[in-house]
């Protein structure tokens, strides 16, 4: 299972235990958070240290969406607009907004590439819903598939042209959810046809070359009341078979309450559902999953 992991790290340098895991059972990648970032020089050194342990081109991911979701407190990362601001710009002049999103993400991508990153967990493809929990809110480009698709495509293209792979999230859509999946198990109580219609932003981006998609820890009451991340219906039937997605399916962080308290069990369920990559972001979760693989 370790080859499918993308793991969080404890601090700004590797611990002795992390070095051992990286050397003996290297994951597919690592993901950095604010706790791992002090300066450009330190981040670059940390990722170099990771790859020195694994001896290969281990992936390095981060959440740099812009707006309130940023991990590195220096330019260009800490000075970017919320997605919703581009949505408002799109309403005034679609072409201007698309170009602005592209340029912002191209500059961000270049800066990420320089530090040693390979993936950015963006764009957000969820639709905004005024009744949904604020965990999405301003992170959404808008409330309509056409707008979200156009701006998310500009984000994806800007990142890609800078050498960074984007990860579209959170499939099939988190915007209507009634809770934050970091701390609870959210539900979306909408007809299946509505959920599928609003997931069209994913389908359209797949057609434009999106290669990485992250699942949502959300229960959709119209689809067997299953959490999407661990649901064969959503991961395999809808995403693989109906949307013809042949890229990499990432679970959202398996340390989140949205998939329970047992990280190894959640990882097994996500793999069974059809996820390719397992995000385990918190140090205690990383420890639990590596220890579970020792037997």
């Amino acid at each position: 299972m370790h080859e499918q992991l993308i793991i969080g790290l404890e601090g700004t340098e590797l611990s002795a235990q992390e070095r051992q895991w990286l050397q003996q059972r290297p994951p597919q990648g690592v993901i950095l958070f604010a706790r791992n970032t002090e300066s450009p020089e330190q981040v670059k050194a940390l990722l170099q240290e990771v790859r020195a342990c694994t001896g290969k081109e281990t992936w390095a991911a981060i959440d740099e969406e812009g707006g309130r979701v940023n991990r590195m407190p220096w330019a260009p990362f800490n000075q970017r607009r919320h997605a919703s601001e581009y949505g408002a710009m799109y309403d005034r002049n679609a072409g201007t907004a698309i170009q602005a999103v592209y340029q912002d993400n191209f500059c961000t991508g270049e800066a990420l590439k320089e530090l040693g990153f390979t993936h950015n967990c963006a764009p957000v493809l969820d639709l905004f819903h005024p009744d949904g929990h604020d965990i999405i809110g301003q992170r959404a480009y808008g409330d309509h598939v056409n707008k979200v698709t156009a701006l998310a495509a500009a984000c994806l293209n800007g990142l890609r042209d800078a050498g960074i792979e984007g990860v579209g999230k959170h499939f099939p859509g988190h915007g209507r959810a009634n809770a934050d999946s970091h701390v609870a198990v959210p539900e979306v109580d909408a007809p299946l046809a509505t959920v599928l219609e609003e997931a069209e932003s994913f389908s359209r981006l797949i057609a434009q070359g999106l290669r990485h998609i992250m699942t949502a820890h959300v229960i959709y009451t119209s689809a067997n009341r299953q959490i999407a991340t661990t649901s064969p219906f959503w991961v395999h039937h809808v995403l693989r078979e109906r949307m013809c997605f042949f890229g990499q399916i990432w679970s959202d962080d398996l340390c989140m309450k949205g998939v329970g308290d047992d990280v190894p069990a959640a990882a097994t369920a996500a793999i069974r559902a059809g996820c390719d990559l397992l995000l385990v972001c918190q140090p205690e979760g990383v420890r639990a999953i590596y220890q579970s693989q020792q037997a």
Side-chain angles (χ1 to χ4, degrees):
M1 185 186 288
H2 63 88
E3 303 96 336
Q4 294 173 280
L5 294 174
I6 298 177
I7 63 170
L9 305 172
E10 285 188 41
T12 55
E13 299 177 355
L14 293 180
S15 68
Q17 178 65 84
E18 287 169 340
R19 285 193 194 90
Q20 183 180 0
W21 286 330
L22 288 165
Q23 290 168 351
Q24 296 180 0
R25 286 178 289 167
Q28 176 64 52
V30 297
I31 182 166
L32 300 196
F33 292 88
R35 66 178 183 266
N36 309 119
T37 64
E38 278 182 350
S39 69
E41 296 74 22
Q42 170 269 324
V43 168
K44 190 180 290 190
L46 176 59
L47 294 180
Q48 288 172 345
E49 189 181 7
V50 166
R51 291 175 176 128
C53 290
T54 61
K56 60 182 184 180
E57 283 300 306
T58 302
W59 291 0
I62 197 163
D63 291 289
E64 286 293 344
E65 296 174 16
R68 75 172 191 253
V69 180
N70 80 286
R71 311 301 190 200
M72 294 186 282
W74 59 84
F77 309 109
N78 64 343
Q79 299 175 352
R80 301 171 66 211
R81 291 184 174 99
H82 287 98
S84 62
E85 296 177 62
Y86 289 110
M89 189 187 301
Y90 183 91
D91 292 338
R92 297 190 298 271
N93 187 312
T96 298
I98 288 168
Q99 184 57 37
V101 170
Y102 174 89
Q103 194 60 41
D104 173 56
N105 282 277
F106 180 74
C107 292
T108 299
E110 283 194 317
L112 289 172
K113 186 76 173 174
E114 170 65 20
L115 294 172
F117 289 98
T118 57
H119 295 72
N120 188 21
C121 297
V124 170
L125 297 176
D126 308 310
L127 302 193
F128 173 77
H129 281 279
D131 297 331
H133 190 277
D134 191 47
I135 188 63
I136 298 300
Q138 291 180 298
R139 296 166 65 194
Y141 284 114
D143 58 1
H144 193 278
V145 166
N146 289 344
K147 181 196 294 188
V148 170
T149 301
L151 295 174
C155 168
L156 188 67
N157 291 335
L159 290 171
R160 183 173 294 158
D161 287 351
I164 296 292
E165 282 291 326
V167 184
K169 59 190 184 184
H170 308 79
F171 180 82
H174 207 302
R176 286 182 179 269
N178 62 359
D180 175 359
S181 54
H182 291 83
V183 296
V185 185
E187 292 190 0
V188 166
D189 186 16
L192 180 58
T194 300
V195 178
L196 291 170
E197 184 179 320
E198 294 180 351
E200 183 66 18
S201 53
F202 290 91
S203 185
R204 293 187 191 179
L205 264 291
I206 290 166
Q208 295 186 44
L210 179 63
R211 292 193 279 258
H212 301 267
I213 289 178
M214 185 186 297
T215 59
H217 297 336
V218 174
I219 289 174
Y220 299 85
T221 59
S222 59
N224 303 321
R225 296 192 61 84
Q226 293 181 322
I227 298 165
T229 298
T230 56
S231 166
F233 172 79
W234 287 113
V235 176
H236 181 74
H237 176 64
V238 177
L239 193 48
R240 290 288 191 215
E241 295 185 337
R242 292 180 63 162
M243 293 188 175
C244 299
F245 179 64
F246 302 112
Q248 300 290 305
I249 300 174
W250 300 39
S251 78
D252 204 344
D253 179 15
L254 296 174
C255 301
M256 291 159 63
K257 296 301 181 186
V259 283
D261 297 310
D262 187 333
V263 174
T268 299
I271 289 172
R272 285 178 179 161
C275 290
D276 303 295
L277 297 164
L278 307 171
L279 266 180
V280 182
C281 298
Q282 300 306 317
E284 59 271 22
V286 175
R287 191 173 303 110
I289 204 160
Y290 268 103
Q291 288 175 349
S292 75
Q293 296 296 301
Q294 288 178 343

